[in-house]
Amino acid sequence: MDYAQQIYKDLVVLGIVKGDTLLVHSSLNAVGKFNNRCQIIIDALLEALGPSGTLLMPALSYKYITVENPLFDIEKTPSCVGGLTEYFRQLPESVRSLHPTHSVCGFGAKISFLLDKHIRDNTPCGPNSPFSKLKDIGGKILFLGCSLHSNTSMHAIEELCEPEYLFGPSVEYTIIDYNKKQYKKKYLSHGFVGYIQCYDRVLNILDKEDYSFTKVLNTDCYLLDAAILWKKVYLKLKKDSLFFVDKIRE
């Protein structure tokens, strides 16, 4: 099988077009186990987006950068959200936003607008984060072999509404940027103490025309419009702040 061409064809059927700005959440093993799979998947995504497109992947590092280990190095700290994201982070052309726990990597036509100002935020997914800015330029969110539960953009919408479960304590991190400059900065962390995230419930508030669904190779994939997601999730959170979480039973 020509995996690259089949993945490309499936992505086009899903609704990805040339010039799109695309944030990809992924499960590498769900897509399949074949030789050079990371490069093949990236090549197929880039072919679908074309030279005028922009490809983004989360490079979250909250499992590694903690109160006990608060040093974040933009070039060395790995991603903790899957093998494809870590491969993508290490590509020579990939640029990373500056945030100790919720950075995003990417390259393409709109990368400067999306990544450059993330450092200004003092929360994980604030107004300057790529998760927030994606909606402003017609961006899309792809769930490649992973469920809609893996949707970091939900945190950015939650930060607008500030439900009771969202924020935890402030944490001071040490940050090393691309110029090897080292400095300290405090961030308000996300909490979720006593709650389980249930972001797959977003399907309950979206209309069928708001998203597309198909298989890429043999794995289920969803494609969402970021602006529609923001509009409908925000309205739901304002009415029911606990709709997307469950309390943990003691």
Side-chain angles (χ1 to χ4, degrees), residues 10-170:
D10 292 340
L11 292 172
V12 171
V13 170
L14 189 59
I16 296 171
V17 299
K18 305 293 185 184
D20 270 348
T21 298
L22 186 68
L23 172 64
V24 181
H25 296 282
S26 60
S27 170
L28 184 56
N29 286 337
V31 176
K33 297 182 179 180
F34 45 89
N35 292 336
N36 301 317
R37 56 184 178 164
C38 287
Q39 187 61 59
I40 287 171
I41 294 168
I42 298 299
D43 287 348
L45 286 164
L46 292 176
E47 183 179 1
L49 293 171
S52 60
T54 302
L55 180 59
L56 302 166
M57 290 190 187
L60 312 188
S61 50
Y62 58 87
K63 291 183 180 179
Y64 307 128
I65 308 304
T66 62
V67 174
E68 296 76 21
N69 181 41
L71 176 62
F72 172 79
D73 188 322
I74 195 169
E75 294 187 295
K76 297 179 180 179
T77 300
S79 166
C80 67
V81 285
L84 187 63
T85 67
E86 178 60 7
Y87 176 87
F88 186 68
R89 182 190 72 82
Q90 296 181 73
L91 291 176
E93 60 268 47
S94 187
V95 180
R96 191 179 197 177
S97 70
L98 195 55
H99 192 285
T101 60
H102 285 68
S103 64
V104 174
C105 285
F107 53 85
K110 299 178 180 177
I111 207 65
S112 179
F113 170 79
L114 290 160
L115 301 189
D116 285 358
K117 295 182 180 179
H118 198 180
I119 182 59
R120 296 184 180 182
D121 290 336
N122 59 6
T123 60
C125 304
N128 295 293
S129 71
F131 304 107
S132 180
K133 290 194 163 191
L134 188 65
K135 70 182 185 305
D136 299 327
I137 54 174
K140 299 176 181 178
I141 308 171
L142 170 64
F143 298 85
L144 184 63
C146 59
S147 74
L148 293 170
H149 177 78
S150 305
N151 190 352
T152 311
S153 297
M154 294 290 290
H155 297 327
I157 308 170
E158 288 169 325
E159 287 196 14
L160 287 179
C161 302
E162 297 191 18
E164 61 188 67
Y165 56 79
L166 181 61
F167 286 118
S170 292

